[in-house]
């Protein structure tokens, strides 16, 4: 009987892979991976393991999600141990839920191996705690993919008035609209924002600014990148530990 492991690869730093993920990667007959999973992880696979790339290149989908679901299923018919390796955590904007539902429908057994999401770990490597006593009592992880100009938004913008932390994933291209929208909601133009690119890797870049100037300051930052909005960003001054930490 075959089994599919919907596996989180962590955010980039290979040492943030879980022990469980490493075990199934070593046992896998095939690994189906995407762009955000650090490719160095594949070196841990046994000899003879097959690799299938189903990633996206800068917004250009190599393969639609329906086809990815089918690739996973077809591999499960051929192999005993199938690892579906996804960047960060498979259920945090990873479409892992859709893949799991497809496998369920097809009668294929699956396990979910959570991964360390970039939403928390990239800020941590930038010296930004997503919650902090007296500063932020909660954090939200929000898709930045939807334009704030959309008429009927699924994003509860009205809830973003507090000082609680907001982490936008997939939002860099929408940053001008996101910062404008937050100012319209009443946040001060000098409210702190950080953009973190390639978080937890040796290429990590962190740009700190305000709602008013972050677009200009982060203009040339490469993806993947996420946006942190909140007073917690101010803690980076004291808590930054990773960059230049050789
Ligand atoms: N499942 C993933 C997120 C997938 S959505 C996770 O849990 O991390 C893809 C988005 O994640 C990117 O657009 C970017 O906003 C963010 N992201 C992923 N890896 C990142 C990294 N190393 N540094 C900064 N942002 C990252």
């Amino acid at each position: 009987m075959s089994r599919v492991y919907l596996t989180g690869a962590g955010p980039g730093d290979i040492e943030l892979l879980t022990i469980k993920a490493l075990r199934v990667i070593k046992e896998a007959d095939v690994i189906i991976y995407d762009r955000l999973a650090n490719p160095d992880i594949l070196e841990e696979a046994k000899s003879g393991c097959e690799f299938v790339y189903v990633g996206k290149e800068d917004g250009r989908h190599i393969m639609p999600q329906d086809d990815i679901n089918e690739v996973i299923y077809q591999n499960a018919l051929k192999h005993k141990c199938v690892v579906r390796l996804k960047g960060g955590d498979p259920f945090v904007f990873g479409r892992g839920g859709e893949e799991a539902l497809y496998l369920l429908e097809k009668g294929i057994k699956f396990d979910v191996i959570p991964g360390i999401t970039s939403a928390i770990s990239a800020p941590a490597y930038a010296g930004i705690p997503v919650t902090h006593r007296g500063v932020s009592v909660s954090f939200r992880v929000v898709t930045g993919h939807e334009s704030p100009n959309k008429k009927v938004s699924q994003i509860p913008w009205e809830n973003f008035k507090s000082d609680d932390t907001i982490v936008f994933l997939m939002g860099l291209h929408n940053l001008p609209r996101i910062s404008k929208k937050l100012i319209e909601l009443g946040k001060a133009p000098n409210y702190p924002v950080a953009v973190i690119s390639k978080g937890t890797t040796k290429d990590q870049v962190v740009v700190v600014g305000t709602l008013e100037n972050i677009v200009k300051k982060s203009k040339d930052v490469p993806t993947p990148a996420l946006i942190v909005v909140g007073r917690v960003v101010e803690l980076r001054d004291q808590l930054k530990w990773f960059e230049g930490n050789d």
Side-chain angles (χ1 to χ4, degrees):
M1 191 67 183
S2 72
R3 189 173 281 273
V4 174
Y5 296 90
L6 298 169
T7 307
D13 180 347
I14 194 167
E15 287 190 302
L16 294 180
L17 197 66
T18 64
I19 293 170
K20 191 165 187 176
L22 187 59
R23 176 174 63 78
V24 297
I25 286 161
K26 284 180 189 293
E27 288 170 6
D29 301 312
V30 57
I31 300 178
I32 303 164
Y33 67 105
D34 62 27
R35 183 175 66 97
L36 288 176
N38 182 339
D40 292 350
I41 293 172
L42 304 179
E43 282 167 30
E44 300 295 329
K46 67 183 182 193
S47 71
C49 176
E50 289 177 23
F51 300 111
V52 181
Y53 179 69
V54 292
K56 303 173 199 169
E57 297 290 351
D58 286 334
R60 191 169 59 90
H61 289 246
I62 296 230
M63 210 183 264
Q65 187 63 45
D66 285 351
D67 294 358
I68 295 176
N69 294 348
E70 189 60 23
V71 166
I72 300 170
Y73 170 56
Q74 290 300 332
N75 275 283
L77 296 178
K78 276 196 296 197
H79 300 283
K80 255 182 83 148
C81 180
V82 179
V83 169
R84 169 65 174 121
L85 190 65
K86 302 163 88 73
D89 180 88
F91 281 0
V92 178
F93 297 118
R95 306 191 73 167
E98 289 163 66
E99 294 172 3
L101 285 170
Y102 192 79
L103 293 170
L104 185 73
E105 194 187 296
K106 297 286 185 189
I108 302 286
K109 288 215 171 358
F110 63 87
D111 283 11
V112 181
I113 304 180
I116 295 186
T117 178
S118 63
I120 296 171
S121 55
Y125 272 51
I128 302 171
V130 288
T131 68
H132 192 76
R133 205 176 158 82
V135 181
S136 168
V137 293
S138 77
F139 63 94
R140 272 176 190 268
V141 182
V142 183
T143 172
H145 195 57
E146 182 193 280
S147 168
N149 295 341
K150 200 172 155 188
K151 279 222 170 63
V152 186
S153 178
Q154 283 184 286
I155 299 171
W157 291 99
E158 284 298 315
N159 292 347
F160 296 164
K161 286 181 176 167
S162 73
D163 270 335
D164 293 341
T165 311
I166 320 167
V167 179
F168 290 98
L169 300 187
M170 305 175 286
L172 199 61
H173 64 291
N174 263 331
L175 185 56
R177 284 178 286 265
I178 289 169
S179 35
K180 188 165 162 262
K181 179 85 180 178
L182 292 171
I183 292 173
E184 277 167 20
L185 283 169
K187 284 201 190 291
N190 68 355
Y191 200 76
V193 185
V195 169
I196 307 167
S197 160
K198 303 194 175 183
T200 80
T201 74
K202 62 177 180 13
D203 300 322
Q204 171 171 305
V205 172
V206 183
V207 179
V208 174
T210 64
L211 285 175
E212 203 170 35
N213 67 20
I214 193 69
V215 170
K216 210 165 153 195
K217 286 182 97 169
S218 60
K219 200 166 82 280
D220 301 318
V221 160
T223 57
L226 55 76
I227 305 157
V228 188
V229 179
R231 298 246 168 254
V232 286
V233 169
E234 287 165 347
L235 289 156
R236 170 173 160 81
D237 263 354
Q238 295 167 79
L239 299 186
K240 80 166 179 217
W241 60 273
F242 179 61
E243 297 120 79
N245 193 7
D246 298 324

